[in-house]
Amino acid sequence: MRWTRAAVVASALSIMIAGCGAGPSDRPGVAVERPAVASEPTTSAAAAPPVAEVPKTDLSWRDCTAPTLDLLGLGPAPTGLVLDCAEYSTPIDASGGVLGSFRTGAMRARLAQTPTDVPPLVLSSGTDRSSTATLAGLAVGGGAVLADRPIVAVDRRGLGTSQPIDCLPLDIRRGLADNAQFGPGANDPVAAVTEFSQDGTIACRDFLQPYEGTFDAPHAADDIEQLRKQWQVDRIDLLGTGNGAKVALSYARKFGDHLARLVLDSPESVGTDAVTREEQRLQGAEAALNGFAQRCTGLGCSLGADPRAAVADLVKRAGDGGLGDISANALLTAVTGFLGGPRADQAVRVTELADALSAAGRGDRGALGKLILRESAATASDGQFVNRCTDTQQPPTPTKAQELMTTWGQKYPVFGESAAVALLACAAWPVAGAPALPTKLNLPVMVIGGIADPVVGGAGPASVTGVLGAAGARHATVTWQGWGHPVFTHSGCAQRALLDYLKTAKLPADGTACPA
């Protein structure tokens, strides 16, 4: 099997991971928001809702707390936090079309007071960052959910602790990360990134052949189902955040009878093309930057009286070569990664980002370089390139991307121009059909969203509730008024509603608003 090459991680970035709105473009989505189907009051005559079970045959867990937090740059573990890592074998293709197996990585987080006789909550954050990195981040920040039950994160193929993929030549990986800002293609980044996409697509698909078609959301759902089987339980509780909501919906379609609870937190829009989805993200990123700037001003942070303007100026300087080998896109990777970090204490760490940016503005790029390395490690591996490109629907043409550089550069002045160029990273990848969505789901589903989400934007809840309504699922939406991703790690109000739902299957009142 050619997977032996994938056992070697290509760079230090990969090694770090292995340790552990409104107003989009005019392209219509396939689903529109439907009125919520309200949950019926529970009566003594009503059948008790199904519940998840404690694993009968668990994985072979090993403590990986210190190495995981060290490699992800998350600092020392809070008192009582334990991270356990494990691997299990999954079929490359559960249908039997492709033979062989894949090594899937999982991580369990628990606290000293976490009960041992309760079922775990299974987490997927898809390709936004590895699920294990997401779990490690939220675990370091604390939160009520971990005190109530353990959380088990399952990485998508090629991400985090799952079997890694080493397929991109170094120059292509660097060119995509920097939007071709450096090198011979700097004068025409659209053409240069298009060429990087072509060369990267050929390299990765040749390397993965004949398995190149097994990195979509339905196959990720198969890997979660294999975990359920290994646990020897009939039902699980599943939480999908961001892109991981696409995995959770695929699981609901294929294995809905094995779900006890389903939570979609800050879900990525479904059935949307790449341009629409990216514009939704841009709206969330700009809103999150505004929220950061307001908090920064209130704290009297080192970015001065107008933190947003200071960030915008630094991005421009980076784009003009004023930050040395730090490109504008690399700088924005750090900013977006920080604003969309899963740590529950993210809002109180505003000065960390502010100090790194202001120091870079004075010529000291050390802290910013470390932040870029940390965020790139969590969001820019070869596995993420493969999975994201597999998920991409209708990428733009180079001509359209060139047009968007101007329109988005004006409309979204901090993030827009770089986002338009980065859209072409997957331009050469063969476009697959959108994953099939649930058509019948007899399950109450909790949907959570935020008004300033820098990872997926804010249009996802309306998109997925349309799907859930069409499938006949009872559902309710909770909206958080703050900035960050995903919501449940940042909002105590959302956590309380989530815990109540997990325990009783009772949905909160549809339209519940949680204050920032």
Side-chain angles (χ1 to χ4, degrees), residues 237-267:
D237 293 337
L238 180 59
L239 167 63
T241 68
N243 174 266
K246 183 176 291 186
V247 177
L249 287 170
S250 288
Y251 189 91
R253 176 180 171 84
K254 301 181 74 173
F255 313 108
D257 290 344
H258 292 299
L259 282 173
R261 309 284 186 270
L262 175 61
V263 183
L264 306 175
D265 186 337
S266 311

mmCIF file of all heavy atoms in Angstrom, residues 237-267:
data_model
loop_
_atom_site.group_PDB
_atom_site.id
_atom_site.type_symbol
_atom_site.label_atom_id
_atom_site.label_comp_id
_atom_site.label_asym_id
_atom_site.label_seq_id
_atom_site.Cartn_x
_atom_site.Cartn_y
_atom_site.Cartn_z
ATOM 1 N N ASP A 237 -23.766 10.518 21.170
ATOM 2 C CA ASP A 237 -24.062 11.945 21.092
ATOM 3 C C ASP A 237 -22.978 12.586 20.236
ATOM 4 O O ASP A 237 -21.780 12.353 20.465
ATOM 5 C CB ASP A 237 -24.053 12.585 22.482
ATOM 6 C CG ASP A 237 -25.183 12.079 23.364
ATOM 7 O OD1 ASP A 237 -26.196 11.601 22.820
ATOM 8 O OD2 ASP A 237 -25.039 12.154 24.607
ATOM 9 N N LEU A 238 -23.370 13.409 19.265
ATOM 10 C CA LEU A 238 -22.424 13.941 18.281
ATOM 11 C C LEU A 238 -22.527 15.455 18.202
ATOM 12 O O LEU A 238 -23.628 16.009 18.092
ATOM 13 C CB LEU A 238 -22.694 13.316 16.907
ATOM 14 C CG LEU A 238 -21.806 13.754 15.738
ATOM 15 C CD1 LEU A 238 -20.330 13.446 16.027
ATOM 16 C CD2 LEU A 238 -22.246 13.049 14.454
ATOM 17 N N LEU A 239 -21.373 16.110 18.241
ATOM 18 C CA LEU A 239 -21.264 17.564 18.110
ATOM 19 C C LEU A 239 -20.386 17.874 16.917
ATOM 20 O O LEU A 239 -19.221 17.477 16.870
ATOM 21 C CB LEU A 239 -20.649 18.154 19.392
ATOM 22 C CG LEU A 239 -20.161 19.601 19.347
ATOM 23 C CD1 LEU A 239 -21.310 20.564 19.087
ATOM 24 C CD2 LEU A 239 -19.445 19.962 20.651
ATOM 25 N N GLY A 240 -20.943 18.598 15.941
ATOM 26 C CA GLY A 240 -20.176 19.038 14.787
ATOM 27 C C GLY A 240 -20.041 20.548 14.806
ATOM 28 O O GLY A 240 -21.046 21.259 14.894
ATOM 29 N N THR A 241 -18.804 21.050 14.757
ATOM 30 C CA THR A 241 -18.576 22.486 14.752
ATOM 31 C C THR A 241 -17.996 22.918 13.414
ATOM 32 O O THR A 241 -17.156 22.220 12.840
ATOM 33 C CB THR A 241 -17.604 22.906 15.874
ATOM 34 O OG1 THR A 241 -16.295 22.397 15.596
ATOM 35 C CG2 THR A 241 -18.073 22.390 17.228
ATOM 36 N N GLY A 242 -18.444 24.065 12.896
ATOM 37 C CA GLY A 242 -17.910 24.585 11.650
ATOM 38 C C GLY A 242 -18.052 23.590 10.516
ATOM 39 O O GLY A 242 -19.125 23.052 10.238
ATOM 40 N N ASN A 243 -16.942 23.290 9.851
ATOM 41 C CA ASN A 243 -16.945 22.282 8.788
ATOM 42 C C ASN A 243 -17.316 20.906 9.327
ATOM 43 O O ASN A 243 -17.854 20.066 8.593
ATOM 44 C CB ASN A 243 -15.566 22.243 8.120
ATOM 45 C CG ASN A 243 -15.416 21.134 7.110
ATOM 46 O OD1 ASN A 243 -14.929 20.052 7.442
ATOM 47 N ND2 ASN A 243 -15.845 21.377 5.881
ATOM 48 N N GLY A 244 -17.068 20.683 10.615
ATOM 49 C CA GLY A 244 -17.453 19.403 11.207
ATOM 50 C C GLY A 244 -18.944 19.166 11.217
ATOM 51 O O GLY A 244 -19.397 18.014 11.329
ATOM 52 N N ALA A 245 -19.749 20.231 11.086
ATOM 53 C CA ALA A 245 -21.195 20.049 10.973
ATOM 54 C C ALA A 245 -21.548 19.302 9.699
ATOM 55 O O ALA A 245 -22.534 18.561 9.654
ATOM 56 C CB ALA A 245 -21.903 21.405 11.011
ATOM 57 N N LYS A 246 -20.735 19.484 8.661
ATOM 58 C CA LYS A 246 -20.963 18.745 7.419
ATOM 59 C C LYS A 246 -20.739 17.249 7.650
ATOM 60 O O LYS A 246 -21.482 16.401 7.129
ATOM 61 C CB LYS A 246 -20.028 19.269 6.333
ATOM 62 C CG LYS A 246 -20.216 18.630 4.976
ATOM 63 C CD LYS A 246 -19.308 19.279 3.937
ATOM 64 C CE LYS A 246 -19.721 20.698 3.633
ATOM 65 N NZ LYS A 246 -18.939 21.289 2.519
ATOM 66 N N VAL A 247 -19.731 16.924 8.447
ATOM 67 C CA VAL A 247 -19.492 15.524 8.812
ATOM 68 C C VAL A 247 -20.657 14.990 9.639
ATOM 69 O O VAL A 247 -21.146 13.874 9.418
ATOM 70 C CB VAL A 247 -18.169 15.391 9.592
ATOM 71 C CG1 VAL A 247 -17.951 13.947 10.040
ATOM 72 C CG2 VAL A 247 -16.995 15.868 8.749
ATOM 73 N N ALA A 248 -21.129 15.794 10.596
ATOM 74 C CA ALA A 248 -22.233 15.365 11.460
ATOM 75 C C ALA A 248 -23.509 15.144 10.658
ATOM 76 O O ALA A 248 -24.259 14.195 10.916
ATOM 77 C CB ALA A 248 -22.469 16.408 12.553
ATOM 78 N N LEU A 249 -23.782 16.005 9.677
ATOM 79 C CA LEU A 249 -24.974 15.820 8.846
ATOM 80 C C LEU A 249 -24.842 14.583 7.973
ATOM 81 O O LEU A 249 -25.835 13.877 7.730
ATOM 82 C CB LEU A 249 -25.211 17.062 7.985
ATOM 83 C CG LEU A 249 -25.741 18.292 8.738
ATOM 84 C CD1 LEU A 249 -25.698 19.522 7.850
ATOM 85 C CD2 LEU A 249 -27.166 18.041 9.235
ATOM 86 N N SER A 250 -23.635 14.299 7.497
ATOM 87 C CA SER A 250 -23.429 13.062 6.738
ATOM 88 C C SER A 250 -23.667 11.850 7.622
ATOM 89 O O SER A 250 -24.266 10.854 7.195
ATOM 90 C CB SER A 250 -22.008 13.017 6.152
ATOM 91 O OG SER A 250 -21.856 13.931 5.095
ATOM 92 N N TYR A 251 -23.220 11.946 8.880
ATOM 93 C CA TYR A 251 -23.469 10.839 9.814
ATOM 94 C C TYR A 251 -24.967 10.692 10.056
ATOM 95 O O TYR A 251 -25.494 9.568 10.083
ATOM 96 C CB TYR A 251 -22.746 11.076 11.137
ATOM 97 C CG TYR A 251 -22.794 9.871 12.056
ATOM 98 C CD1 TYR A 251 -21.790 8.916 12.020
ATOM 99 C CD2 TYR A 251 -23.867 9.667 12.923
ATOM 100 C CE1 TYR A 251 -21.842 7.790 12.838
ATOM 101 C CE2 TYR A 251 -23.930 8.549 13.741
ATOM 102 C CZ TYR A 251 -22.920 7.615 13.694
ATOM 103 O OH TYR A 251 -22.988 6.498 14.490
ATOM 104 N N ALA A 252 -25.671 11.805 10.200
ATOM 105 C CA ALA A 252 -27.109 11.742 10.441
ATOM 106 C C ALA A 252 -27.841 11.107 9.268
ATOM 107 O O ALA A 252 -28.822 10.375 9.458
ATOM 108 C CB ALA A 252 -27.649 13.149 10.698
ATOM 109 N N ARG A 253 -27.389 11.371 8.069
ATOM 110 C CA ARG A 253 -28.039 10.756 6.904
ATOM 111 C C ARG A 253 -27.772 9.255 6.844
ATOM 112 O O ARG A 253 -28.676 8.458 6.612
ATOM 113 C CB ARG A 253 -27.555 11.399 5.604
ATOM 114 C CG ARG A 253 -28.143 10.709 4.370
ATOM 115 C CD ARG A 253 -27.679 11.316 3.077
ATOM 116 N NE ARG A 253 -28.103 10.497 1.942
ATOM 117 C CZ ARG A 253 -29.293 10.560 1.364
ATOM 118 N NH1 ARG A 253 -30.207 11.408 1.818
ATOM 119 N NH2 ARG A 253 -29.594 9.781 0.334
ATOM 120 N N LYS A 254 -26.526 8.860 7.084
ATOM 121 C CA LYS A 254 -26.154 7.463 6.915
ATOM 122 C C LYS A 254 -26.476 6.611 8.137
ATOM 123 O O LYS A 254 -26.801 5.428 8.002
ATOM 124 C CB LYS A 254 -24.653 7.363 6.598
ATOM 125 C CG LYS A 254 -24.222 8.105 5.347
ATOM 126 C CD LYS A 254 -22.739 7.960 5.062
ATOM 127 C CE LYS A 254 -22.407 6.581 4.533
ATOM 128 N NZ LYS A 254 -20.974 6.500 4.107
ATOM 129 N N PHE A 255 -26.366 7.215 9.334
ATOM 130 C CA PHE A 255 -26.472 6.432 10.565
ATOM 131 C C PHE A 255 -27.350 7.123 11.601
ATOM 132 O O PHE A 255 -27.095 7.037 12.809
ATOM 133 C CB PHE A 255 -25.070 6.197 11.154
ATOM 134 C CG PHE A 255 -24.044 5.730 10.159
ATOM 135 C CD1 PHE A 255 -23.031 6.581 9.730
ATOM 136 C CD2 PHE A 255 -24.102 4.445 9.629
ATOM 137 C CE1 PHE A 255 -22.086 6.157 8.800
ATOM 138 C CE2 PHE A 255 -23.158 4.013 8.696
ATOM 139 C CZ PHE A 255 -22.144 4.870 8.280
ATOM 140 N N GLY A 256 -28.379 7.810 11.145
ATOM 141 C CA GLY A 256 -29.231 8.578 12.045
ATOM 142 C C GLY A 256 -29.847 7.758 13.162
ATOM 143 O O GLY A 256 -30.089 8.281 14.261
ATOM 144 N N ASP A 257 -30.098 6.487 12.917
ATOM 145 C CA ASP A 257 -30.680 5.625 13.946
ATOM 146 C C ASP A 257 -29.715 5.360 15.092
ATOM 147 O O ASP A 257 -30.117 4.829 16.128
ATOM 148 C CB ASP A 257 -31.125 4.293 13.337
ATOM 149 C CG ASP A 257 -32.341 4.450 12.438
ATOM 150 O OD1 ASP A 257 -33.006 5.504 12.517
ATOM 151 O OD2 ASP A 257 -32.609 3.528 11.650
ATOM 152 N N HIS A 258 -28.457 5.725 14.917
ATOM 153 C CA HIS A 258 -27.468 5.519 15.970
ATOM 154 C C HIS A 258 -27.125 6.820 16.697
ATOM 155 O O HIS A 258 -26.134 6.869 17.437
ATOM 156 C CB HIS A 258 -26.199 4.891 15.394
ATOM 157 C CG HIS A 258 -26.392 3.479 14.918
ATOM 158 N ND1 HIS A 258 -26.786 2.466 15.763
ATOM 159 C CD2 HIS A 258 -26.269 2.914 13.688
ATOM 160 C CE1 HIS A 258 -26.882 1.332 15.076
ATOM 161 N NE2 HIS A 258 -26.581 1.579 13.815
ATOM 162 N N LEU A 259 -27.941 7.849 16.508
ATOM 163 C CA LEU A 259 -27.738 9.115 17.205
ATOM 164 C C LEU A 259 -28.740 9.256 18.340
ATOM 165 O O LEU A 259 -29.923 8.992 18.171
ATOM 166 C CB LEU A 259 -27.905 10.295 16.239
ATOM 167 C CG LEU A 259 -26.738 10.613 15.306
ATOM 168 C CD1 LEU A 259 -27.137 11.686 14.311
ATOM 169 C CD2 LEU A 259 -25.513 11.064 16.114
ATOM 170 N N ALA A 260 -28.257 9.703 19.488
ATOM 171 C CA ALA A 260 -29.149 10.067 20.585
ATOM 172 C C ALA A 260 -29.332 11.583 20.630
ATOM 173 O O ALA A 260 -30.426 12.084 20.855
ATOM 174 C CB ALA A 260 -28.589 9.564 21.915
ATOM 175 N N ARG A 261 -28.229 12.327 20.432
ATOM 176 C CA ARG A 261 -28.277 13.785 20.392
ATOM 177 C C ARG A 261 -27.400 14.252 19.232
ATOM 178 O O ARG A 261 -26.365 13.649 18.941
ATOM 179 C CB ARG A 261 -27.751 14.408 21.694
ATOM 180 C CG ARG A 261 -28.369 13.864 22.960
ATOM 181 C CD ARG A 261 -29.768 14.378 23.223
ATOM 182 N NE ARG A 261 -30.220 13.919 24.538
ATOM 183 C CZ ARG A 261 -30.872 12.776 24.737
ATOM 184 N NH1 ARG A 261 -31.118 11.968 23.715
ATOM 185 N NH2 ARG A 261 -31.261 12.431 25.970
ATOM 186 N N LEU A 262 -27.811 15.364 18.625
ATOM 187 C CA LEU A 262 -27.039 15.962 17.546
ATOM 188 C C LEU A 262 -27.000 17.467 17.759
ATOM 189 O O LEU A 262 -28.048 18.111 17.853
ATOM 190 C CB LEU A 262 -27.661 15.631 16.180
ATOM 191 C CG LEU A 262 -27.009 16.296 14.962
ATOM 192 C CD1 LEU A 262 -25.550 15.870 14.826
ATOM 193 C CD2 LEU A 262 -27.787 15.953 13.682
ATOM 194 N N VAL A 263 -25.794 18.016 17.844
ATOM 195 C CA VAL A 263 -25.593 19.450 18.023
ATOM 196 C C VAL A 263 -24.747 19.969 16.862
ATOM 197 O O VAL A 263 -23.688 19.400 16.555
ATOM 198 C CB VAL A 263 -24.883 19.763 19.355
ATOM 199 C CG1 VAL A 263 -24.762 21.276 19.551
ATOM 200 C CG2 VAL A 263 -25.612 19.116 20.527
ATOM 201 N N LEU A 264 -25.202 21.028 16.244
ATOM 202 C CA LEU A 264 -24.465 21.693 15.168
ATOM 203 C C LEU A 264 -24.112 23.087 15.657
ATOM 204 O O LEU A 264 -24.971 23.955 15.772
ATOM 205 C CB LEU A 264 -25.309 21.752 13.894
ATOM 206 C CG LEU A 264 -25.871 20.413 13.395
ATOM 207 C CD1 LEU A 264 -26.782 20.623 12.190
ATOM 208 C CD2 LEU A 264 -24.749 19.440 13.061
ATOM 209 N N ASP A 265 -22.845 23.291 15.983
ATOM 210 C CA ASP A 265 -22.380 24.557 16.546
ATOM 211 C C ASP A 265 -21.620 25.331 15.473
ATOM 212 O O ASP A 265 -20.640 24.835 14.910
ATOM 213 C CB ASP A 265 -21.469 24.278 17.743
ATOM 214 C CG ASP A 265 -21.061 25.546 18.488
ATOM 215 O OD1 ASP A 265 -21.088 26.642 17.899
ATOM 216 O OD2 ASP A 265 -20.703 25.433 19.675
ATOM 217 N N SER A 266 -22.078 26.551 15.186
ATOM 218 C CA SER A 266 -21.438 27.394 14.168
ATOM 219 C C SER A 266 -21.256 26.625 12.868
ATOM 220 O O SER A 266 -20.152 26.557 12.313
ATOM 221 C CB SER A 266 -20.074 27.897 14.670
ATOM 222 O OG SER A 266 -20.171 28.448 15.953
ATOM 223 N N PRO A 267 -22.332 26.016 12.352
ATOM 224 C CA PRO A 267 -22.176 25.139 11.189
ATOM 225 C C PRO A 267 -21.804 25.910 9.930
ATOM 226 O O PRO A 267 -22.243 27.037 9.711
ATOM 227 C CB PRO A 267 -23.563 24.507 11.049
ATOM 228 C CG PRO A 267 -24.497 25.519 11.639
ATOM 229 C CD PRO A 267 -23.741 26.112 12.797
#
